[in-house]
Amino acid sequence: MKFEKSICIIDDDKIYQMLTKKMLVKLNTNYPIHQFYNGLNALNFLKESMANGSALPSIILLDINMPVMDGWEFLKAVEELLPRPRNLQIFLVTSSIAAIDMDKAKNSKLVTKYIPKPIRPEILQQIIL
Amino acid sequence: MSSQNTSNYNLGFFKHLTPVRTSGVFFLILVLIGYGLIEKEIGIIKENETLEMTEILRVTEINIHQLLQNANTVAQLAATTIQEDGSVKNFENLAAKIVDNNSDIKAIQLVPNGVIKHMYPLKGNEDAIGINIFKLAYAKREAELAIEKGDMYFAGPINLVQGGKAVIGRLPVYREGKFWGFSAVLINLNTFLQSTGLQNFNSKIYYVNFSKINVNTNEKEFLLPKETKAIPNSQIEKQITEGDWIIEIGKKSNTNYSSLYLNIFIWSIFCTSSSIFLFFLLKKPAQLNTVISEKNKLLTKTEHRFQTIFDNAAISICVVDIHTRELMNVNPHFCKLLEGKPKDFIGKSALNFVYDEFETHENNIVKLRNNEIRKFKSTQKLVTINGKGKWVQMRMSALWDSDEKPNYYLAFIEDITKEKNFINKLQVSKARFKSLFDNSPISLAEANLSQIKISLKEANIDGADEATVRAYFGKHPEAIKPIASQIQLLNINKEFLRVRGTNNKKEFIQKYSEILEDVDAQTQLEHLVALATNEHKYETETQIRTINNIKKDVLMRWYVVPGHEDTYEKVFISTVDISELKQYYLQLRKTNNLLLERNKRLIDFSYIISHNLRSHTSNIQNIIYALEAADSDEEKDELFSMLMKVTNSLDETCFNLNKITNFNTNTNLETVNLHNSIDEIIVKFKKLIDKTETSIHNNVKSDVTVKINKLELKSILVNLVSNAIRYRHPERKPVITIDYSVQGQKSTFIVQDNGIGIDLDKYGDKIFRMYTTFGDTPESKGLGLFFVKYKVEAMGGRVVVESTPDVGTTFKLIFDEV
């Protein structure tokens, strides 16, 4: 399974998508950026990439509350799709500061970090380094 | 008191007349009487025989004499033909007339000087003519006898020279004073014998001998065969002198006494049965006499013992004059009971010691006196010498001589003061218990469950373990109701009746078995299990039915009254009406569930609000960061434009939040025509309906009205209709059906579509969440269904969704009351 230095932003909030992309550009990131508005579209992208033999993104910025397929469902589907994704980092970037979500993220093998919104440029900097 | 003396029953000589002896003597007397009667009867039989023989002899003699007389007449007639001069004239003519008219006569002769000269009929008798009978040895003597007698004398039987045997009667005829000769008549021997009647004589008992003494030989010659079986000394005889014939009649067989046998037999039976009857007749009094004798002996002994017992009895006894009620005798125990000495009581009226004699007691004494009863019992209160009251149980027994009316009675007195006090206390307790039972605020019943126990025993499950009992009724569920219905109500209190909705105890007890019929089998099974496993206490929540068929929830407890644990004949059942409690509980549970649901929704709401507000604020923060780092005015303009969008979104979120917090369904209630309201919604969606070629069927009847907040109802239906159009199936035209139904207290709004449907297994728990959308429909905000559910539940209803992906979705809004 190939992974490349690319970023996948999965969030139904278009403003957030635009701002994050802008921040990444400002940080001089050359990584390709893939944007999805729900988990299902992102999952289909991963599946297609795997099917085509394309490299998978190494960083995923994942929102929790989304239509069609939310963040938790996406994580569950990825866990089934990629049993041991060593080079994949998934950051839960969400407006939720509910303890239930934080605990759930802590217990997930796939979640690298739980980041409450707003995501600051310096945090984004650390993620892409 | 006195006893019977055995001498009263000493009968002197008669005491030796035991039943055996008396009946033996009686038997002998009867036998002797019988013997005398038989003897007399034998004499009569013998006398009858003699009379019979004499009669036979007499008849025979008459017969012979008639014949001889006839012959004599014939001979005399024949003699008339002899003239005085000795000549004979018209003999033949006369003789012919005589012989022709007299069949007994064989022939007539005229025999002058012993020589046969004339004979009629001559023919066949020619050989006799000329014979001189005086010259015939065998005839001479008999002819001479006729002359000697001077009367007709019959000779023979003689063998006639002309043949045959005959008897010849010769009448000596005299003419001119001299013997002329004989006028003779010949009678055929057979004719002679027939005329005697002896020739055909035939008897089993008698015989007849007919003989003649031969004058020449002086020996008897028998004219008929001589009987050889003659019984000696039984015969009588008669001599006929006209011919010296002898008739003998005698018996040839012994007298037949067989006619006596039946009499003897009957008499024997009579003697025997009479004696036996007499024996038994005499035996009973004898036995009684024996018993009386023995009893008297016993009584004598008893009388001796009586005084001892009287004195030492552990019970109070007194003897009272039945007329004066005077105490005749008292025993020491009596003295102890009434705290005195014998002299304090004897000679005094018993009434002095009776606290207050009851009327029934007095009546019984009168009956005792009148010999109507012999004993009776009564409970009395007596007063001791010291004035103390004592309750006693008295048994009165009259005593009298055999030929007298009762003159005194014996009273056996037992102190029952303690028992009486105990009974009084018990009665007070019972009365208290009855009052408690009747007026208890708890519904109470006393029942007999013994028949149920018997049925369980017959089914071999009484005393079995719970699993066995349940297994049995699992196999025989039909047996539950018949067995459980065998409960028998003994008593019920007022509260019990009140709970059951009646005040008629009798009617309720009568209808109880019908009421039990309605109890559900599971409840009955639980009771049966408790009974079979010998539970003495049982508590269960169950349902009962009132007499008016209203079901009530009750807490039922029963327990077996101590002492009846084996039979379950007495069981107390208490029922507490928990219908209201249960109603409150159900309401509480419903409210609690509603609150839990609302709380959950509140948490979800706060989560979503928090999330969405933070989403907007975080975007604002990010925009500010970006503004700080903006390199150009164009970038700043772009960021300000974004900031405007975010603040608008924030405003919208706040607006929606305001809608939720300001929502109140209980105001502005009005009667709404449902059909018209749906039509108004269809008009509102006309453009969209036309564009999407949607068919909406308003199936609600035009007269259906509901009392509801009209705006909120329309808002709910608008959401559901717009969702149905929004999530239409891409491959078919949308069809939406709106319906309304009422079932009992429940009314249901139904909105059905043929859209894409929802995978309820996957999204079932999310479809009503705030800001949750499915699919790429940009116009969806995830608020419609949230508001539908929120509003329906706020109005006391609930939303049920049924859906099949690719087929369609049905939303049911169910209200208990609208």
Side-chain angles (χ1 to χ4, degrees):
Chain A
M1 194 63 57
K2 289 194 292 181
F3 288 92
E4 62 171 6
K5 286 284 183 181
S6 67
I7 299 170
C8 186
I9 305 169
I10 309 169
D11 201 307
D12 62 332
D13 188 343
K14 288 176 183 171
I15 302 288
Y16 165 79
Q17 288 264 14
M18 286 167 68
L19 289 168
T20 307
K21 191 178 177 183
K22 200 175 271 294
M23 267 194 274
L24 286 169
V25 170
K26 285 264 178 188
L27 290 170
N28 294 321
T29 311
N30 295 322
Y31 299 161
I33 297 168
H34 309 281
Q35 291 177 279
F36 302 100
Y37 295 99
N38 62 53
L40 186 63
N41 291 342
L43 186 68
N44 288 338
F45 167 73
L46 293 179
K47 284 179 181 174
E48 279 171 22
S49 299
M50 285 171 73
N52 298 335
S54 308
L56 300 177
S58 58
I59 296 166
I60 294 176
L61 303 178
L62 178 65
D63 187 18
I64 292 175
N65 294 299
M66 289 179 292
V68 186
M69 180 184 276
D70 66 16
W72 301 119
E73 287 168 336
F74 175 78
L75 283 171
K76 195 178 172 190
V78 170
E79 204 169 345
E80 287 170 8
L81 192 68
L82 305 166
R84 291 175 188 173
R86 286 182 187 173
N87 300 314
L88 177 65
Q89 288 184 298
I90 298 176
F91 297 92
L92 275 182
V93 184
T94 173
S95 301
S96 171
I97 50 170
I100 188 169
D101 286 334
M102 289 184 182
D103 289 344
K104 211 168 172 183
K106 206 175 177 181
N107 294 328
S108 172
K109 291 174 191 171
L110 289 176
V111 176
T112 308
K113 197 172 180 182
Y114 186 93
I115 303 167
K117 286 180 182 175
I119 185 165
R120 296 173 68 85
E122 54 269 28
I123 295 171
L124 206 55
Q125 178 75 54
Q126 286 174 12
I127 290 170
I128 59 173
L129 278 177
Chain B
M1 282 177 294
S2 71
S3 65
Q4 297 291 342
N5 193 321
T6 52
S7 64
N8 287 349
Y9 301 94
N10 192 342
L11 301 171
F13 164 75
F14 292 101
K15 76 180 176 185
H16 300 295
L17 290 178
T18 61
V20 175
R21 284 175 189 162
T22 308
S23 26
V25 169
F26 181 67
F27 180 76
L28 285 174
I29 291 168
L30 288 178
V31 167
L32 286 173
I33 291 169
Y35 179 76
L37 290 172
I38 298 296
E39 273 295 302
K40 195 173 180 184
E41 198 155 344
I42 288 169
I44 289 167
I45 289 170
K46 281 184 176 175
E47 196 177 337
N48 283 343
E49 283 176 348
T50 308
L51 283 172
E52 207 172 346
M53 287 192 293
T54 308
E55 180 64 17
I56 292 166
L57 203 59
R58 192 179 68 79
V59 170
T60 307
E61 191 182 359
I62 289 168
N63 288 342
I64 291 170
H65 273 120
Q66 275 181 353
L67 182 65
L68 297 184
Q69 192 65 44
N70 190 27
N72 195 343
T73 306
V74 168
Q76 284 188 5
L77 275 173
T80 58
T81 63
I82 303 167
Q83 304 299 309
E84 273 299 315
D85 58 356
S87 61
V88 175
K89 284 183 181 174
N90 295 325
F91 171 77
E92 279 76 16
N93 290 339
L94 183 67
K97 282 180 185 173
I98 293 167
V99 171
D100 291 345
N101 291 319
N102 206 326
S103 60
D104 292 340
I105 306 299
K106 187 182 178 188
I108 302 171
Q109 296 176 339
L110 288 178
V111 188
N113 293 318
V115 179
I116 302 168
K117 281 194 174 175
H118 304 277
M119 176 170 277
Y120 183 88
L122 186 60
K123 195 178 178 183
N125 294 318
E126 293 88 348
D127 292 344
I129 299 294
I131 294 172
N132 188 343
I133 54 173
F134 288 117
K135 288 182 180 175
L136 294 174
Y138 62 87
K140 183 187 174 188
R141 179 59 194 148
E142 286 179 319
E144 285 171 355
L145 277 173
I147 295 165
E148 284 169 15
K149 285 186 175 181
D151 203 354
M152 197 167 190
Y153 183 79
F154 286 84
I158 298 165
N159 290 322
L160 301 174
V161 289
Q162 64 268 39
K165 270 190 174 181
V167 174
I168 303 170
R170 293 187 182 102
L171 178 71
V173 180
Y174 295 90
R175 289 291 180 262
E176 294 177 348
K178 289 181 183 174
F179 176 70
W180 179 82
F182 298 103
S183 172
V185 177
L186 275 77
I187 301 168
N188 191 301
L189 183 62
N190 274 340
T191 305
F192 177 71
L193 290 175
Q194 271 180 1
S195 68
T196 60
L198 297 175
Q199 196 174 30
N200 298 322
F201 182 81
N202 186 17
S203 169
K204 286 180 181 174
I205 301 168
Y206 307 113
Y207 71 87
V208 177
N209 285 334
F210 190 41
S211 60
K212 181 181 174 80
I213 298 166
N214 191 320
V215 292
N216 299 316
T217 60
N218 265 339
E219 284 183 3
K220 274 185 183 175
E221 287 178 357
F222 289 89
L223 278 68
L224 291 169
K226 187 188 176 187
E227 179 61 53
T228 54
K229 293 177 183 173
I231 292 172
N233 303 320
S234 69
Q235 69 181 35
I236 53 173
E237 63 178 41
K238 182 77 183 177
Q239 191 166 358
I240 308 292
T241 53
E242 286 89 339
D244 287 326
W245 294 300
I246 298 165
I247 306 165
E248 296 169 352
I249 294 180
K251 286 169 66 183
K252 60 181 176 183
S253 65
N254 285 319
T255 308
N256 185 3
Y257 297 116
S258 58
S259 62
L260 291 177
Y261 296 161
L262 181 64
N263 292 343
I264 293 167
F265 176 72
I266 291 168
W267 188 255
S268 306
I269 296 287
F270 173 73
C271 293
T272 311
S273 55
S274 301
S275 304
I276 291 169
F277 176 72
L278 184 66
F279 171 75
F280 282 109
L281 205 66
L282 296 172
K283 195 179 172 188
K284 204 69 196 171
Q287 280 176 337
L288 283 172
N289 200 23
T290 310
V291 170
I292 289 166
S293 290
E294 285 170 1
K295 290 284 177 194
N296 278 326
K297 283 175 192 168
L298 193 67
L299 198 64
T300 312
K301 276 185 188 174
T302 308
E303 202 173 47
H304 292 302
R305 287 176 188 163
F306 175 78
Q307 196 59 42
T308 315
I309 293 167
F310 186 79
D311 292 339
N312 300 306
I315 190 168
S316 302
I317 309 170
C318 63
V319 181
V320 185
D321 187 304
I322 201 161
H323 302 289
T324 63
R325 307 289 295 278
E326 188 181 310
L327 288 164
M328 308 291 290
N329 198 2
V330 294
N331 76 342
H333 201 279
F334 181 93
C335 296
K336 193 179 169 189
L337 175 71
L338 294 187
E339 299 170 339
K341 291 177 179 174
K343 65 179 175 61
D344 297 328
F345 307 108
I346 293 170
K348 289 180 182 166
S349 172
L351 295 172
N352 292 345
F353 306 98
V354 177
Y355 186 82
D356 189 10
E357 190 163 66
F358 299 121
E359 198 178 334
T360 49
H361 182 90
E362 180 57 32
N363 288 342
N364 281 329
I365 292 286
V366 173
K367 282 183 186 173
L368 205 64
R369 190 186 297 149
N370 295 336
N371 221 349
E372 290 169 23
I373 56 171
R374 297 191 49 185
K375 57 185 175 182
F376 72 92
K377 256 202 257 186
S378 78
T379 302
Q380 289 277 11
K381 193 173 182 184
L382 300 183
V383 186
T384 67
I385 294 291
N386 300 321
K388 210 189 281 178
K390 283 193 177 178
W391 280 101
V392 293
Q393 171 83 53
M394 301 175 84
R395 291 195 301 278
M396 315 300 176
S397 185
L399 297 173
W400 62 91
D401 291 335
S402 59
D403 55 348
E404 289 175 351
K405 277 191 172 182
N407 46 24
Y408 42 81
Y409 65 86
L410 205 57
F412 297 89
I413 303 162
E414 196 179 349
D415 187 358
I416 57 161
T417 308
K418 281 182 187 172
E419 289 90 330
K420 190 79 181 174
N421 289 340
F422 176 75
I423 288 166
N424 285 341
K425 280 181 187 172
L426 197 65
Q427 279 171 345
V428 169
S429 296
K430 271 187 181 174
R432 279 181 188 158
F433 174 76
K434 191 176 178 307
S435 171
L436 274 174
F437 181 86
D438 288 341
N439 302 309
S440 169
I442 298 167
S443 158
L444 291 172
E446 192 181 345
N448 179 356
L449 308 184
S450 61
Q451 200 52 49
I452 297 178
K453 285 293 273 183
I454 290 167
S455 296
L456 293 171
K457 209 168 275 179
E458 284 169 356
N460 289 326
I461 50 170
D462 188 35
D465 59 81
E466 188 181 333
T468 309
V469 179
R470 287 188 189 281
Y472 175 83
F473 285 116
K475 209 172 174 183
H476 306 283
E478 74 287 349
I480 296 173
K481 272 186 190 285
I483 295 178
S485 299
Q486 288 173 316
I487 181 171
Q488 187 191 347
L489 277 187
L490 302 174
N491 197 9
I492 50 181
N493 73 350
K494 291 172 194 166
E495 178 63 12
F496 189 96
L497 288 170
R498 193 194 65 75
V499 170
R500 303 289 180 141
T502 180
N503 55 11
N504 190 330
K505 188 190 274 192
K506 198 176 169 188
E507 183 195 15
F508 182 79
I509 290 176
Q510 276 175 353
K511 285 189 174 178
Y512 192 57
S513 56
E514 290 172 30
I515 291 167
L516 282 176
E517 279 292 308
D518 281 356
V519 178
D520 67 281
Q522 187 56 38
T523 304
Q524 290 181 329
L525 172 65
E526 296 307 322
H527 283 283
L528 292 180
V529 169
L531 284 166
T533 53
N534 290 326
E535 292 289 341
H536 294 147
K537 283 181 185 175
Y538 184 69
E539 181 177 315
T540 183
E541 253 185 50
T542 184
Q543 270 198 333
I544 59 165
R545 186 164 71 82
T546 69
I547 204 152
N548 303 318
N549 283 331
I550 298 166
K551 284 189 175 175
K552 283 187 175 182
D553 292 299
V554 295
L555 178 65
M556 182 181 281
R557 293 189 186 99
W558 55 254
Y559 73 92
V560 184
V561 176
H564 300 275
E565 289 88 347
D566 292 337
T567 60
Y568 283 65
E569 280 176 343
K570 228 173 200 185
V571 177
F572 274 121
I573 303 169
S574 70
T575 42
V576 179
D577 185 357
I578 56 166
S579 297
E580 283 184 17
L581 205 65
K582 191 135 184 178
Q583 210 60 39
Y584 289 143
Y585 172 73
L586 288 174
Q587 191 62 41
L588 193 67
R589 204 164 62 175
K590 199 174 168 185
T591 309
N592 190 43
N593 287 340
L594 199 63
L595 284 174
L596 284 172
E597 182 63 27
R598 283 189 180 178
N599 193 42
K600 187 173 174 295
R601 275 197 285 119
L602 208 59
I603 291 167
D604 286 350
F605 178 71
S606 63
Y607 173 87
I608 296 293
I609 293 301
S610 160
H611 173 271
N612 284 23
L613 288 176
R614 286 200 77 257
S615 175
H616 297 309
T617 55
S618 65
N619 278 343
I620 291 167
Q621 277 180 310
N622 270 349
I623 289 167
I624 291 168
Y625 294 147
L627 277 171
E628 283 174 352
D631 298 328
S632 62
D633 289 339
E634 289 83 10
E635 192 182 351
K636 282 181 183 173
D637 288 342
E638 187 190 3
L639 288 169
F640 273 118
S641 170
M642 278 188 203
L643 191 59
M644 186 60 78
K645 280 183 183 174
V646 171
T647 50
N648 284 341
S649 294
L650 180 60
D651 183 54
E652 193 184 347
T653 303
C654 290
F655 174 77
N656 288 332
L657 178 64
N658 192 47
K659 267 168 71 179
I660 293 165
T661 51
N662 286 339
F663 177 70
N664 188 347
T665 56
N666 293 327
T667 56
N668 300 324
L669 294 179
E670 57 185 301
T671 304
V672 177
N673 183 301
L674 194 56
H675 185 87
N676 294 343
S677 297
I678 293 165
D679 279 350
E680 285 168 21
I681 293 165
I682 294 169
V683 170
K684 187 181 174 183
F685 280 98
K686 192 169 184 318
K687 278 186 182 175
L688 185 62
I689 288 166
D690 292 344
K691 189 182 168 188
T692 55
E693 296 181 88
T694 302
S695 303
I696 300 183
H697 302 289
N698 180 2
N699 288 347
V700 179
K701 287 181 183 171
S702 58
D703 59 342
V704 173
T705 56
V706 290
K707 198 165 187 183
I708 203 164
N709 185 319
K710 189 179 178 182
L711 289 176
E712 295 304 342
L713 173 68
K714 284 175 81 173
S715 160
I716 290 164
L717 293 175
V718 162
N719 268 311
L720 292 174
V721 171
S722 65
N723 269 357
I725 296 172
R726 185 179 300 148
Y727 296 104
R728 63 187 175 275
H729 200 282
E731 293 169 4
R732 56 182 173 248
K733 289 175 185 175
V735 178
I736 301 166
T737 308
I738 303 172
D739 217 330
Y740 176 77
S741 70
V742 178
Q743 281 186 329
Q745 297 283 317
K746 287 182 179 175
S747 53
T748 308
F749 296 87
I750 302 161
V751 179
Q752 190 175 29
D753 66 49
N754 64 341
I756 57 171
I758 309 162
D759 186 349
L760 292 175
D761 291 337
K762 209 166 179 180
Y763 305 114
D765 59 337
K766 288 181 183 171
I767 57 173
F768 294 110
R769 272 195 199 166
M770 203 177 181
Y771 296 116
T772 303
T773 56
F774 305 93
D776 292 327
T777 44
E779 65 271 31
S780 295
K781 291 177 182 171
L783 283 171
L785 288 179
F786 169 78
F787 275 120
V788 167
K789 186 171 164 63
Y790 181 80
K791 287 177 180 180
V792 168
E793 286 181 355
M795 287 190 278
R798 60 196 168 93
V799 183
V800 173
V801 59
E802 296 163 0
S803 185
T804 308
D806 278 340
V807 175
T809 305
T810 303
F811 283 94
K812 290 181 180 173
L813 317 181
I814 303 167
F815 295 90
D816 284 340
E817 285 175 23
V818 170

